[in-house]
Amino acid sequence: MAWLLVVVAGILETGFAVCLKLSHGFTRLFPTIAFAVFALGSFGLLTLALRRLDVGPAYAVWTGIGAAGTAIYGMVFLGDVVSTLKIVSITLVIVGVVGLQLSGSAH
């Protein structure tokens, strides 16, 4: 269950990163509010997960999901440049996240 919280928190991290861009420096109301909701949800779930998980693997998985998710979202929906190197790099991040999740131990 703790790892599920980390995965959902990582997905919410993608949401707050995208909303941060869409807020244009917190000048647009809806993306700013969405940023705050996603950020609070992400940090809240990560905090709950860290009660049972080692901080290193959990934090790395959280940031990896957020980084890969944000990069993919940007390429698919925001017109970010797509390149072979980006795709390979995102794949490596995902492989690293899976490896860290498998190496993490619950207390």
Side-chain angles (χ1 to χ4, degrees):
M1 184 63 170
W3 280 114
L4 178 61
L5 294 176
V6 173
V7 169
V8 174
I11 293 167
L12 292 175
E13 184 188 1
T14 297
F16 82 68
V18 170
C19 288
L20 186 61
K21 175 169 178 62
L22 298 176
S23 76
H24 289 101
F26 300 122
T27 60
R28 294 188 175 161
L29 182 61
F30 176 74
T32 300
I33 292 169
F35 162 80
V37 169
F38 284 129
L40 288 171
S42 181
F43 286 116
L45 292 177
L46 181 62
T47 299
L48 292 174
L50 288 175
R51 291 179 178 174
R52 298 201 178 269
L53 300 174
D54 292 337
V55 68
Y59 182 76
V61 168
W62 177 70
T63 58
I65 291 169
T70 303
I72 292 166
Y73 187 94
M75 288 186 289
V76 173
F77 297 107
L78 300 177
D80 291 357
V81 175
V82 178
S83 70
T84 302
L85 183 56
K86 271 189 182 180
I87 300 298
V88 169
S89 298
I90 290 168
T91 302
L92 290 172
V93 168
I94 293 168
V95 168
V97 163
V98 170
L100 285 166
Q101 191 278 335
L102 293 174
S103 75
S105 61
H107 298 309

